[in-house]
Amino acid sequence: MTANAPLLELRNVVPSFEETGLMPAPYNLRIMPGECAVVDCRDFERAAMFADLCSGMVSLTQGTIKFMGLDWAALRDRQLNALRGRIGRISRNSSWLNLFGTHLNIMLPHLYHTTDPFDNVVLHATELGHRFGFPGLPTSAPDRLSGADLARAACVRAFMGRPDLLVLEDISDTLPEENILPFFEMMTAARDRGCGVLWFVRSAAAWHEYRKAVNIHMRLLDEGLFPMRVV
């Protein structure tokens, strides 16, 4: 990635309608290192599909998507996996594996991509867990946790490994109020070191307290992606 280059850039992107259900209209978005883009979208499924699109997981009929200067469509599986390892994601459908404890669910994505010693990964995950109100990493299976604890665990997993891009679907309805400030603080700290943020929200209330720190405001509708004025 070259200096002053976009961290994430969609240029006249038209996704496969059959694969996504997204309107086959050109999508354009540019996020620079350290920037935060908020995308209003009331449809959870549409937001998740657009998040997949930005992560190089959707076929295109037109245009290019580049992350860290690399075109998703030009990469092979090993390169794709390595690059996706630089994305921290919070998903409404978090794909928790109930065969494993929640602590392993939190660490496995990072363990897949890192060469850090296991003990260091555990320490990092535990420290993040403390930031979000856990006394330690929850070891119960995800289906035994409350919605609030799963939201906390999703935050911990997203911030693991100092990601270069955060793709955040809205969990403001399940994340406890006392965890909102730590969430903002962690997001700001990540941006300070150059991490970009793509944050999908359902209402202004979800990001009202962070409004002044937002660089880009978009709205994702049936008809496509439209710029809004940040006020």
Side-chain angles (χ1 to χ4, degrees):
M1 181 173 172
T2 59
N4 300 319
L7 180 67
L8 177 69
E9 185 174 29
L10 283 68
R11 285 190 180 183
N12 296 318
V13 168
V14 177
S16 166
F17 179 76
E18 292 76 12
E19 186 176 334
T20 67
L22 293 172
M23 176 61 64
Y27 293 87
N28 289 279
L29 176 65
R30 175 183 291 185
I31 301 176
M32 301 298 289
E35 285 190 335
C36 176
V38 164
V39 178
D40 286 339
C41 183
R42 296 187 178 183
D43 186 323
F44 286 135
E45 291 186 6
R46 185 182 300 133
M49 189 56 67
F50 196 80
D52 286 348
L53 175 71
C54 294
S55 302
M57 300 168 66
V58 169
S59 300
L60 307 181
T61 60
Q62 176 184 307
T64 59
I65 304 177
K66 291 185 178 181
F67 172 47
M68 300 183 71
L70 299 173
D71 185 343
W72 286 119
L75 303 178
R76 297 184 178 180
D77 287 346
R78 186 171 182 178
Q79 296 168 312
L80 288 169
N81 289 333
L83 204 58
R84 289 189 187 120
R86 305 311 310 148
I87 298 176
R89 182 162 174 180
I90 291 177
S91 174
R92 293 286 302 189
N93 299 316
S94 299
S95 302
W96 300 107
L97 300 175
N98 291 313
L99 293 174
F100 303 107
T102 304
H103 62 309
L104 290 176
N105 274 268
I106 288 171
M107 294 187 293
L108 278 174
H110 182 54
L111 287 170
Y112 180 78
H113 295 286
T114 189
T115 57
D116 291 344
F118 181 76
D119 288 347
N120 290 0
V121 176
V122 172
L123 179 62
H124 180 45
T126 303
E127 290 172 347
L128 288 174
H130 290 160
R131 293 293 302 272
F132 286 101
F134 286 127
L137 291 180
T139 57
S140 299
D143 60 357
R144 291 179 172 269
L145 296 187
S146 66
D149 279 344
L150 283 176
R152 293 186 181 102
C155 290
V156 175
R157 182 166 65 178
F159 285 100
M160 285 289 297
R162 296 170 59 87
D164 292 297
L165 176 67
L166 289 165
V167 178
L168 312 173
E169 296 173 42
D170 192 357
I171 56 169
S172 60
D173 56 332
T174 53
L175 188 66
E177 186 175 351
E178 64 268 21
N179 297 128
I180 298 297
L181 180 58
F183 173 76
F184 288 158
E185 290 174 342
M186 291 294 297
M187 189 161 60
T188 300
R191 292 177 62 193
D192 286 345
R193 59 173 175 75
C195 177
V197 178
L198 178 58
W199 184 14
F200 298 90
V201 300
R202 292 192 71 198
S203 68
W207 62 290
H208 178 75
E209 295 181 29
Y210 204 74
R211 182 182 297 271
K212 292 182 180 179
V214 171
N215 306 100
I216 302 164
H217 183 195
M218 309 288 285
R219 182 161 291 164
L220 183 60
L221 303 171
D222 287 340
E223 297 81 8
L225 185 67
F226 300 92
M228 306 293 291
R229 186 165 61 94
V230 178
V231 294

